[in-house]
Amino acid sequence: MNPKLTGRRTFLQGVAGAAATLPFVSRPVTAAPADLTISEAIALILKDIPKAPSRDTVDTVKSGDPTRKLTGIVTTFMATYDVIRKAGDLGANLVITHEPTFYNHRDETDWLRSDAVYQAKRRLLDEKGIVVWRFHDYWHAARPDGIMTGVLKKLGWEPTGKERIFTIPAMSLRDLALSLKQKFGSPSVRFVGNPNQSCRTVGLSPGAYGGGPQITLLSREPIDVLVCGEIAEWETSEYVRDAVAAGKAKGLIVVGHVPSEEPGMEWLAEWLKPKLPGVKITHVPAQSPFNYV
Amino acid sequence: MNPKLTGRRTFLQGVAGAAATLPFVSRPVTAAPADLTISEAIALILKDIPKAPSRDTVDTVKSGDPTRKLTGIVTTFMATYDVIRKAGDLGANLVITHEPTFYNHRDETDWLRSDAVYQAKRRLLDEKGIVVWRFHDYWHAARPDGIMTGVLKKLGWEPTGKERIFTIPAMSLRDLALSLKQKFGSPSVRFVGNPNQSCRTVGLSPGAYGGGPQITLLSREPIDVLVCGEIAEWETSEYVRDAVAAGKAKGLIVVGHVPSEEPGMEWLAEWLKPKLPGVKITHVPAQSPFNYV
């Protein structure tokens, strides 16, 4: 918890708490957040993030005018063209996205200036008057990590003492992959390893955690399987393939980047509601873009 | 063609050519390559690669003693534990791999020193006395690109005048994905876009070509679909998802990194045979490591 609370935040929390105990009383607090600008809402959100605001982050405003009054918030894994359209339909003018808007980590756009897809997305953002703000580094920096919290709510796994390590009822690698496919709502899940290998101790790294960290988790921790969002196909999958060939009982399950982190942005909507009472906050899932044959 | 031919290479080519026209004559040439060291074989291979040898390359020797006599060559997409074992069974002591041996692009191993999988692979390499040599940058630098040549042989597509652009009989995106799954022998193929969209002009980028180059190909060239090996899931797939949502007829097919480049290493075995007559050269497929649910 960040100890540097402002008067505004303390005020909002106090009123929200009072309103929660008086559900039948008309809530004058709704007037206060309705007066918030988007920038003020962002500042308010960052009060609960350790060491925020930071200069060294990709979590910047990607479009629109944040000095305008906030009309509503959409949280999403990815501010896709469709998610932006839906935000407009919902009357929201702040889309909080986990991943980039313009197809590269730093949202650099010089190389896209004459690109028709980029131009169409910019036009849509302008038409709808939508501010896209990225909430990647900050949400991972929350304690506990906001993405991980949302994912654990979805999985129903209890945290153990060790970061990223969980114990589950023993099941085969194939059954665990099937169970994760259903829980994450992923259209297809890939795995490496012996389908019948028993899994009980699980490492969990949603998103694209990186080959080095993924392999280090598999190497240093006594986990049967690593569950992750995305890999580079010359790194973690090849490490696990070699591990199995060398006689070690290790597995890897790759659920897809979007499904693996979307629950964290669904949780963000719930996490925001008590901070911004009276503001309409909706989670709009980006969903996996993939079909499989 | 590199004009700086050595006497050795000219000699070998001349003898190979003669042998090819005299199939029933016993081939004394087999004695000459049998005397080659692994280093000499590598130098001979590099004679046909423009600007080789280069200092700025990942194409280095990853294991073993290249001053030893060459006993046979295995080409593969990836020098996995299983591929190394098979090379040993074949009596080959040079494995030519396209991708890294130790799970990161530069094959850095300091971070793996105490890792059990790395240690097991090193032990296997030592026991079998195998030199692993990477042939990634050089094979792509061959004119035409060696990987692309092998892939085109597999696909039966004819090059057009434009690099990476091909014309195929019109078919739906879904049918093209199914056809590529079968041709590449991939266990599963993902695609983004309208399954019924017609595809006739195709961009082709095997391997992990990178989000920027993949998107630039989709943006600048009049292609209906990009066929690639691997993507980062916040880059090319999201660009195509937005393109489709904005009403543009674009598709993306992701066949998997291994299946997309393995034909190039299969072709390498054929390409090497006339250069090293009498040397047993075998392509051992690494194959996709993935299962799907």
Side-chain angles (χ1 to χ4, degrees):
Chain A
M1 188 70 79
N2 190 325
K4 288 186 280 177
L5 301 176
T6 65
R8 178 184 282 278
R9 181 164 171 274
T10 308
F11 166 70
L12 283 173
Q13 281 200 329
V15 177
T21 60
L22 296 168
F24 301 108
V25 176
S26 99
R27 296 168 63 183
V29 68
T30 54
D35 281 342
L36 279 179
T37 65
I38 292 168
S39 289
E40 286 167 342
I42 289 173
L44 205 60
I45 293 166
L46 290 183
K47 294 283 173 201
D48 271 339
I49 304 297
K51 296 182 188 163
S54 156
R55 277 172 178 240
D56 183 23
T57 177
V58 291
D59 290 356
T60 57
V61 168
K62 311 297 181 183
S63 71
D65 176 6
T67 66
R68 292 179 58 194
K69 295 286 176 203
L70 177 67
T71 63
I73 295 176
V74 157
T75 73
T76 189
F77 171 79
M78 181 82 72
T80 66
Y81 195 93
D82 265 343
V83 166
I84 293 161
R85 198 151 45 186
K86 284 177 192 161
D89 294 347
L90 288 162
N93 65 354
L94 174 58
V95 172
I96 305 181
T97 181
H98 190 59
E99 290 296 349
T101 305
F102 300 118
Y103 327 118
N104 66 99
H105 183 55
R106 300 216 160 261
D107 277 315
E108 283 160 2
T109 56
D110 282 356
W111 65 295
L112 290 167
R113 217 170 276 166
S114 63
D115 175 77
V117 179
Y118 169 72
Q119 288 169 350
K121 196 168 191 175
R122 275 279 179 217
R123 265 199 309 277
L124 180 72
L125 286 163
D126 290 348
E127 276 166 29
K128 305 280 182 190
I130 282 176
V131 168
V132 173
W133 176 48
R134 191 161 174 200
F135 196 57
H136 178 274
D137 299 348
Y138 289 137
W139 201 209
H140 283 303
R143 284 292 158 265
D145 178 318
I147 294 291
M148 193 62 114
T149 303
V151 170
L152 291 176
K153 282 176 188 288
K154 186 70 77 182
L155 293 177
W157 295 353
E158 288 298 320
T160 61
K162 264 191 160 171
E163 205 185 357
R164 298 183 178 273
I165 313 292
F166 303 85
T167 307
I168 60 168
M171 66 181 87
S172 73
L173 179 58
R174 187 170 186 280
D175 283 350
L176 179 57
L178 276 167
S179 149
L180 291 168
K181 177 185 176 178
Q182 185 259 321
K183 284 185 174 169
F184 281 115
S186 188
S188 179
V189 161
R190 339 178 236 178
F191 69 93
V192 182
N194 176 351
N196 300 317
Q197 182 211 309
S198 176
C199 297
R200 185 158 161 70
T201 310
V202 183
L204 179 61
S205 65
Y209 190 48
Q214 286 167 347
I215 291 170
T216 301
L217 208 56
L218 279 157
S219 175
R220 302 223 179 127
E221 300 295 339
I223 57 176
D224 304 315
V225 57
L226 177 68
V227 174
C228 66
E230 180 172 356
I231 53 164
E233 293 178 17
W234 60 94
E235 295 176 341
T236 316
S237 44
E238 293 302 333
Y239 175 86
V240 173
R241 168 166 27 192
D242 276 352
V244 173
K248 304 188 191 309
K250 291 279 182 187
L252 173 72
I253 299 177
V254 187
V255 300
H257 197 146
V258 183
S260 81
E261 292 198 303
E262 191 129 84
M265 297 308 279
E266 188 178 354
W267 162 237
L268 176 61
E270 298 311 308
W271 186 82
L272 287 176
K273 281 174 188 171
K275 296 182 202 309
L276 297 164
V279 177
K280 187 176 172 188
I281 301 173
T282 316
H283 172 64
V284 175
Q287 297 185 317
S288 168
F290 296 109
N291 298 284
Y292 290 79
V293 292
Chain B
M1 188 69 80
N2 190 324
K4 287 187 281 178
L5 301 175
T6 64
R8 178 184 281 278
R9 181 163 170 272
T10 309
F11 165 71
L12 284 171
Q13 282 199 328
V15 177
T21 60
L22 296 167
F24 300 109
V25 176
S26 98
R27 297 167 63 183
V29 67
T30 53
D35 281 342
L36 280 179
T37 66
I38 292 168
S39 290
E40 286 167 340
I42 289 173
L44 205 60
I45 293 165
L46 290 182
K47 295 283 172 199
D48 272 338
I49 305 296
K51 295 181 189 163
S54 156
R55 276 171 179 240
D56 183 24
T57 178
V58 291
D59 291 355
T60 56
V61 167
K62 311 298 181 182
S63 71
D65 176 6
T67 66
R68 292 177 58 193
K69 295 286 174 202
L70 177 67
T71 63
I73 295 176
V74 158
T75 73
T76 189
F77 171 78
M78 181 81 73
T80 67
Y81 195 93
D82 265 343
V83 166
I84 293 162
R85 198 150 45 187
K86 283 177 193 162
D89 293 347
L90 287 163
N93 65 354
L94 173 59
V95 172
I96 305 181
T97 181
H98 191 58
E99 290 295 350
T101 305
F102 300 118
Y103 327 119
N104 68 99
H105 183 54
R106 299 216 161 261
D107 278 315
E108 284 159 3
T109 56
D110 283 356
W111 65 297
L112 290 167
R113 217 170 278 166
S114 63
D115 176 77
V117 178
Y118 168 72
Q119 288 169 349
K121 196 168 191 175
R122 275 278 178 218
R123 263 198 310 277
L124 180 71
L125 286 164
D126 290 347
E127 276 166 28
K128 304 280 182 191
I130 282 177
V131 168
V132 173
W133 177 49
R134 191 161 174 202
F135 196 58
H136 177 274
D137 300 346
Y138 289 136
W139 202 208
H140 283 303
R143 284 294 159 262
D145 178 317
I147 293 291
M148 193 61 114
T149 303
V151 170
L152 290 176
K153 282 175 188 288
K154 186 70 79 182
L155 293 177
W157 295 354
E158 288 298 320
T160 61
K162 264 190 158 172
E163 205 186 354
R164 296 183 179 274
I165 313 292
F166 303 85
T167 308
I168 60 168
M171 67 182 85
S172 74
L173 179 57
R174 187 170 187 280
D175 283 349
L176 179 57
L178 276 167
S179 149
L180 291 168
K181 177 184 176 178
Q182 184 259 321
K183 283 185 175 168
F184 281 116
S186 189
S188 180
V189 161
R190 337 179 238 179
F191 69 94
V192 182
N194 175 352
N196 300 317
Q197 183 211 308
S198 176
C199 298
R200 184 158 162 69
T201 308
V202 183
L204 179 61
S205 64
Y209 190 48
Q214 285 167 347
I215 290 169
T216 301
L217 208 56
L218 280 156
S219 175
R220 301 221 180 129
E221 300 296 338
I223 56 176
D224 304 315
V225 57
L226 177 68
V227 174
C228 66
E230 180 171 357
I231 53 164
E233 293 178 18
W234 61 93
E235 296 176 341
T236 316
S237 44
E238 293 301 333
Y239 174 87
V240 173
R241 168 165 31 191
D242 276 352
V244 173
K248 303 188 191 310
K250 290 279 182 187
L252 174 71
I253 298 177
V254 188
V255 300
H257 197 146
V258 183
S260 81
E261 291 198 303
E262 191 129 85
M265 296 308 279
E266 188 179 353
W267 162 237
L268 176 61
E270 299 310 308
W271 186 83
L272 287 177
K273 282 174 188 171
K275 295 181 202 313
L276 297 164
V279 177
K280 187 176 173 188
I281 301 173
T282 315
H283 173 63
V284 175
Q287 297 186 318
S288 169
F290 296 109
N291 299 283
Y292 291 78
V293 293

